[in-house]
Amino acid sequence: MSITLVWAREPIPTGPSVFLAGPTPRLGGDVESWRPAAVEALAEQWTGPGPLTVLTPESRGGKRAAHYDDQVGWETAARKAATAVLFWIPRDLRTLPGFTTNVEFGLDAGSGRAVLGCPPDCPNPERNRYLIYVAREHGVPVRETLHETATAALALVAAATRHGEL
């Protein structure tokens, strides 16, 4: 089925959606974003009756927000509106530290809409141990590959659909 990609600060539609939470590479750096692979994994697996909206905190065309609060406000609203919040944390303290992601996960862990993906082969997997602990305390699914994390996020979307929450 189809995917509708919504970039940072664009209008947030209603309907089934997944927010892609996790560290964002810095503009002009040499680290590629993991989000295109996440969109691909979601698109491959989505079988819902209509389109799935994927909300990304990255900016269309790399255009940054004029004001920090505009970006943070949009991300907060998008995470709150999302049917599922997919956290992917390929922790690398040098290039993808994810410090903001830690706070966001703490805010969303008890929502019933979060999934946590932490690859064991990332540069600093030991820095994800506490998040994994918190996830388990809150019943958040924990996965080790991006594909499995996408599967878990779509299971939350399917459950919300079955329960008439969408």
Side-chain angles (χ1 to χ4, degrees):
M1 269 291 151
S2 66
I3 298 290
T4 301
L5 186 58
V6 175
W7 299 83
R9 301 174 314 283
E10 294 180 351
I12 302 166
T14 58
S17 60
V18 175
F19 182 90
L20 301 178
T24 300
R26 299 294 162 230
L27 289 177
D30 60 351
V31 175
E32 290 193 27
S33 174
W34 56 269
R35 288 186 176 93
V39 172
E40 185 177 315
L42 291 164
E44 287 173 0
Q45 298 179 62
W46 175 244
T47 59
L52 174 72
T53 298
V54 178
L55 304 159
T56 178
E58 294 183 25
S59 299
R60 185 181 295 274
K63 184 176 166 100
R64 295 286 212 170
H67 302 283
Y68 178 78
D69 289 352
D70 293 340
Q71 179 71 23
V72 174
W74 184 88
E75 287 185 31
T76 301
R79 286 191 354 266
K80 188 175 187 177
T83 312
V85 183
L86 183 158
F87 284 88
W88 179 247
I89 309 175
R91 183 85 65 196
D92 183 335
L93 293 180
R94 189 178 55 79
T95 61
L96 291 172
F99 298 134
T100 301
T101 301
N102 292 343
V103 175
E104 291 171 340
F105 183 74
L107 292 170
D108 293 339
S111 70
R113 298 177 299 110
V115 299
L116 177 63
C118 296
D121 60 350
C122 67
N124 299 110
E126 73 281 359
R127 299 296 184 185
N128 285 332
R129 287 183 303 203
Y130 185 70
L131 296 180
I132 293 167
Y133 173 85
V134 170
R136 290 186 175 137
E137 287 293 308
H138 288 279
V140 173
V142 178
R143 302 294 184 264
E144 293 185 347
T145 70
L146 188 52
H147 189 271
E148 292 169 343
T149 307
T151 301
L154 291 176
L156 290 179
V157 174
T161 301
R162 281 192 307 275
H163 293 106
E165 296 170 18
L166 296 176

